[in-house]
Amino acid sequence: ETPKPVEEPKFSFQPEPEKVEPTQPTAVPLPEVQPMGKEKKGYKIAKPTSLPVSTAISGNGKQKILTFVGGDHGVGNSQVAFNTALSLAKKGFRTIFIELKEQGSTIEYLYQLALVDKGLDYALRHLGEENLVELENSIVKMKDVRNQNLNQLMQGIYQQFPDSLDFLFFSPDYILESDPERKSFEPIKLKELCMHLLFHAGYHYIVLDAEPDLHHPLSEVALGFGTHVFYTITQDVSHIGRAVRNISEVNKRINVVDKLYYILNKYDRQANLTQRDVEDWLKAKVESCIPLSHREFINANMEGRPVFLTTKNKELKQAFDEVVQHILKD
C-alpha cells in the first residue's frame, strides 16, 4: 500500500511531540551493536553516546535500517542498494541512501550528486557538536542538486528522481584529505546519526551501502544495528566461497544470520551453476535473483540514468520489487 506523501519535517532543537494514533504500530526495535574490538588505525573506537530522542515516532512505526554489503568489489552491491532505495522513494517513503565508501562514492560519481559543504563527514561532525541545524544542512537533497548542478544533460534526469530520496556520501574534501588525524572519527557515531534520522528527521528507511570488508569499522557498525542485512553475490565461485567464509566468521561477532537476505546479482539462467547449486553451497536460501542485464546497466550508467527508472526489462523490475516487498512485509 502506497503511503500518503510525507511532509518535510521542521527542524528544531526541541521538537514538539506529535500525536500517534493508537492503531499505529510502534517502531521496530533496533538491535544493539556489539563491541567492535580493539581500536583500528585512523579511527577512535568509543562507547556509544546518545542524543535526546523525541517521543514522537514518524513513519507509522515502519522505520528500518537496511544494510547492503557485497561479497566482493564488483558484484554490483551499490547498484542493488541504490535502486532499492530509489524504488522505496518512488513508492512515497522518505528514504536516505548512505554510501560508506571512504575512497569515493560510486553513486555520487554516476549521478553528479556532490555538493559543497555537504556529506556524511559533515553530518558526523555536526552530530558530535550537537548542531542539529547544520546536520540537516549536511544532507544532499534533490531540490538542492537541481538548483546547484546546472549541467543541462543532467537536468532532465534529475526531474525523474523523487524528492523523497536524499543522500549522504563522504564529501570530496574528506576523500582528498591526506592527513589521517583530520579524517578520524568514531564509527559508532554512524549509529547515532541513523537514530537521529529515524526519530528526529522522519525518514522511513535508511539504506546503507557498506564496504565488502566486514572488518571495516563502519561495516561492523552497519551490520550490527541494521534491521535487515542484504548480502549481494554473483555466480562467480570466488564470490560464493567468500560469502560462506565471511558470513561464518562475522556471525561469531555479530548475529547476522537471523536478518540475512541473499541477493544473487547478474544471474545467468543459462549458466551451469544454478540458483539451487548456489543455495546448496551457501546452505541458505537465495531470496532474490537479479537477472544478468550488463548492457542495460552500461547504457544507463553512460547516460547518468538509474537503471530502475529507464529499464523496460520486466524481469529486472520484478527482481527489485521482490527486495522491496520483503522490506515492506514486516
PDB file of all heavy atoms in Angstrom, residues 2 17 44 234 274 280 292 304:
ATOM      1  N   THR A   2       0.653   2.138  -0.934  1.00  0.00           N
ATOM      2  CA  THR A   2       1.455   3.372  -1.051  1.00  0.00           C
ATOM      3  C   THR A   2       1.071   4.353   0.045  1.00  0.00           C
ATOM      4  O   THR A   2      -0.106   4.663   0.221  1.00  0.00           O
ATOM      5  CB  THR A   2       1.218   4.037  -2.410  1.00  0.00           C
ATOM      6  OG1 THR A   2       1.558   3.088  -3.424  1.00  0.00           O
ATOM      7  CG2 THR A   2       2.124   5.266  -2.557  1.00  0.00           C
ATOM      8  N   PRO A  17       6.405  16.984  20.471  1.00  0.00           N
ATOM      9  CA  PRO A  17       5.885  15.618  20.268  1.00  0.00           C
ATOM     10  C   PRO A  17       4.670  15.634  19.359  1.00  0.00           C
ATOM     11  O   PRO A  17       3.830  16.528  19.443  1.00  0.00           O
ATOM     12  CB  PRO A  17       5.517  15.158  21.691  1.00  0.00           C
ATOM     13  CG  PRO A  17       6.248  16.100  22.610  1.00  0.00           C
ATOM     14  CD  PRO A  17       6.370  17.395  21.866  1.00  0.00           C
ATOM     15  N   LYS A  44      38.741   6.211  16.070  1.00  0.00           N
ATOM     16  CA  LYS A  44      38.666   6.248  17.512  1.00  0.00           C
ATOM     17  C   LYS A  44      37.436   5.459  17.934  1.00  0.00           C
ATOM     18  O   LYS A  44      36.316   5.861  17.669  1.00  0.00           O
ATOM     19  CB  LYS A  44      38.565   7.698  17.996  1.00  0.00           C
ATOM     20  CG  LYS A  44      39.781   8.543  17.633  1.00  0.00           C
ATOM     21  CD  LYS A  44      39.559   9.984  18.054  1.00  0.00           C
ATOM     22  CE  LYS A  44      40.745  10.856  17.639  1.00  0.00           C
ATOM     23  NZ  LYS A  44      40.514  12.276  17.986  1.00  0.00           N
ATOM     24  N   THR A 234      27.412 -12.962  -6.805  1.00  0.00           N
ATOM     25  CA  THR A 234      27.143 -13.362  -8.190  1.00  0.00           C
ATOM     26  C   THR A 234      27.380 -14.865  -8.310  1.00  0.00           C
ATOM     27  O   THR A 234      27.659 -15.540  -7.309  1.00  0.00           O
ATOM     28  CB  THR A 234      28.064 -12.614  -9.174  1.00  0.00           C
ATOM     29  OG1 THR A 234      29.402 -13.118  -9.024  1.00  0.00           O
ATOM     30  CG2 THR A 234      28.044 -11.110  -8.929  1.00  0.00           C
ATOM     31  N   THR A 274      23.456 -23.268 -11.102  1.00  0.00           N
ATOM     32  CA  THR A 274      22.076 -22.809 -10.950  1.00  0.00           C
ATOM     33  C   THR A 274      21.847 -22.164  -9.579  1.00  0.00           C
ATOM     34  O   THR A 274      22.708 -22.225  -8.686  1.00  0.00           O
ATOM     35  CB  THR A 274      21.098 -23.983 -11.099  1.00  0.00           C
ATOM     36  OG1 THR A 274      21.309 -24.891  -9.996  1.00  0.00           O
ATOM     37  CG2 THR A 274      21.343 -24.727 -12.415  1.00  0.00           C
ATOM     38  N   ASP A 280      22.710 -24.608  -2.203  1.00  0.00           N
ATOM     39  CA  ASP A 280      23.349 -25.758  -1.554  1.00  0.00           C
ATOM     40  C   ASP A 280      24.723 -25.385  -1.014  1.00  0.00           C
ATOM     41  O   ASP A 280      25.122 -25.842   0.070  1.00  0.00           O
ATOM     42  CB  ASP A 280      23.475 -26.914  -2.546  1.00  0.00           C
ATOM     43  CG  ASP A 280      22.132 -27.551  -2.875  1.00  0.00           C
ATOM     44  OD1 ASP A 280      21.169 -27.330  -2.105  1.00  0.00           O
ATOM     45  OD2 ASP A 280      22.045 -28.261  -3.897  1.00  0.00           O
ATOM     46  N   LEU A 292      20.971 -11.072 -15.305  1.00  0.00           N
ATOM     47  CA  LEU A 292      22.130 -10.506 -15.986  1.00  0.00           C
ATOM     48  C   LEU A 292      21.641  -9.475 -17.001  1.00  0.00           C
ATOM     49  O   LEU A 292      21.008  -9.809 -17.993  1.00  0.00           O
ATOM     50  CB  LEU A 292      22.921 -11.617 -16.681  1.00  0.00           C
ATOM     51  CG  LEU A 292      24.189 -11.192 -17.422  1.00  0.00           C
ATOM     52  CD1 LEU A 292      25.229 -10.669 -16.441  1.00  0.00           C
ATOM     53  CD2 LEU A 292      24.765 -12.378 -18.211  1.00  0.00           C
ATOM     54  N   GLY A 304      24.010   8.453 -17.235  1.00  0.00           N
ATOM     55  CA  GLY A 304      23.753   9.022 -15.918  1.00  0.00           C
ATOM     56  C   GLY A 304      22.327   8.830 -15.456  1.00  0.00           C
ATOM     57  O   GLY A 304      21.794   9.643 -14.695  1.00  0.00           O
TER      58      GLY A 304
END
